[in-house]
Amino acid sequence: MSGASKSVFARKALVGDGWEDNVRITIDGAGRISSVEPQTAADSNAYTVDVLLPAQSNLHSHTFQRAMAGLSEARSPAGRDSFWTWREIMYRFLDILDPDDIEAIAAFAFVEMLESGYGSVAEFHYVHHQPGGQPYANLAELSERIAAAANATGIGLTLLPVAYAQGGVDGRALAGGQLRFGNDLERYVRLAQLAEKSARKVSQDAGFGVAPHSIRAVNERDLKTLEQRFQAMPFHIHIAEQIPEIEEVQAAYGQRSMSWLLDHLPVNQRWCLIHSTHMTAEETNRVAASGAVAGLCPVTEANLGDGIFNGVNYLNAGGRFGTGSDSNIRISPSEELRQLEYSQRLRDVSRVTLSATGKSCGRTLYDASLAGGAQALGRESGSLAPGQWADMIALDVENAALFGLEYDRLLDGWIFAGDRQAVSDVWSAGRHVVHEGRHRDRNAIFATYKTRLASILEKV
Ligand code: NGQ
Ligand code: ZN
């Protein structure tokens, strides 16, 4: 964004590290916060809201899966539905999609992310080629479609083109739907360079990183080469989500997947370990000490039957986390945090598990996820402070979930009793894209999505 500075006046705002009343936030022409002034008089030149918060970063998304919602919930005749049978359905589904479908679905998913309170997203983008595996004339065609969707919606994009080269830890060939993901290392590097260019063109705040899909899909040598070749940028990988994955890695490498990763690669702050669901006590402490972000996707993890993250111990050990909408079966930052806390309560037969004594659970989860999400995206965001991108949301205090609540209890009300209806406005790097709960281009983007979806569903 470029242009004149503008300002927002909030009756209550969560700034720096605490709540302030009557805050004026000034945003510069580039979309960064230039000043934060608490205790100011109401300003008739400023856009005025009730409650202003930093916007969450969605640290893990596969946008195309948004259009699969509702298609994988019937029990199969074999009656052994699992993550792996869901994956078969997902592979068949993605083989139907063409570039226009992928762009239309991404744009609509980005609209829903913004409307529900995310300001930015790390798109873990792994469908690169035509069905069958032939590259498009432009190797980065589909990365460009994701960038175009981000550009159309104004969401802050961190594009993560995914490396995927084998069908399992044993090095077996790609098959079926996986053929659309595959690149050898040399072609991956070329694709990533093109993808980075298209991401950077979207806006100044857009970012880029690298994502080997999983230990299953990239062998040890290539993982190490990627880690070396792409320094100082976000580095994301799926890990320890499913017990069969851990067993497969154990059989091939003699170690559980998380332990193997920690022993063989320099896992640090630039790493985002997507899922990290099944960790031993030792792995939990080691990930917490590494400075990496655990990329939790509680709604998808529940939908796919992954298991329950070791949240209480991980947070006690000082572990960092952020949240992501992953399969996009539901898109809602407040619901991700609620599901994370509820998973712990159900397992431990307990209440208020993830906050320190006397502290609001909603506030604790919101703050932690803001910091972890921004770290995982490599985005200067996550706090209303000068120099940060103006990624902000306003909540509507007339919403029934929030009515009468103040300060941290507003977050508890929103997370445990509310949803996207409580979100009135959203800014991404100063781009004011959601007003009165609606994205500025919702109607057109939804119309295109519906047309594409109708034709996709005819082919399912
Ligand atoms: C994905 N989804 O990349 O979309 C994966 C499934 C796999 C989640 N892990 C594919 N939730 O892990 O092999
Ligand atoms: Zn994923």
Side-chain angles (χ1 to χ4, degrees), residues 60-62 65 124 126 213 238 241 274-275 297 300 326-327:
H60 189 69
S61 158
H62 313 287
Q65 291 174 11
F124 195 104
Y126 65 88
H213 180 276
H238 290 117
E241 177 181 18
I274 305 300
H275 305 302
C297 309
T300 295
D326 192 359
S327 70

Side-chain angles (χ1 to χ4, degrees), residues 129-169:
H129 309 310
Q130 301 178 48
Q134 176 70 25
Y136 289 100
N138 170 3
L139 182 59
E141 174 72 34
L142 295 180
S143 296
E144 287 188 9
R145 299 307 191 109
I146 300 294
N151 192 38
T153 59
I155 202 165
L157 175 69
T158 291
L159 182 60
L160 305 172
V162 171
Y164 203 118
Q166 61 186 23
V169 193

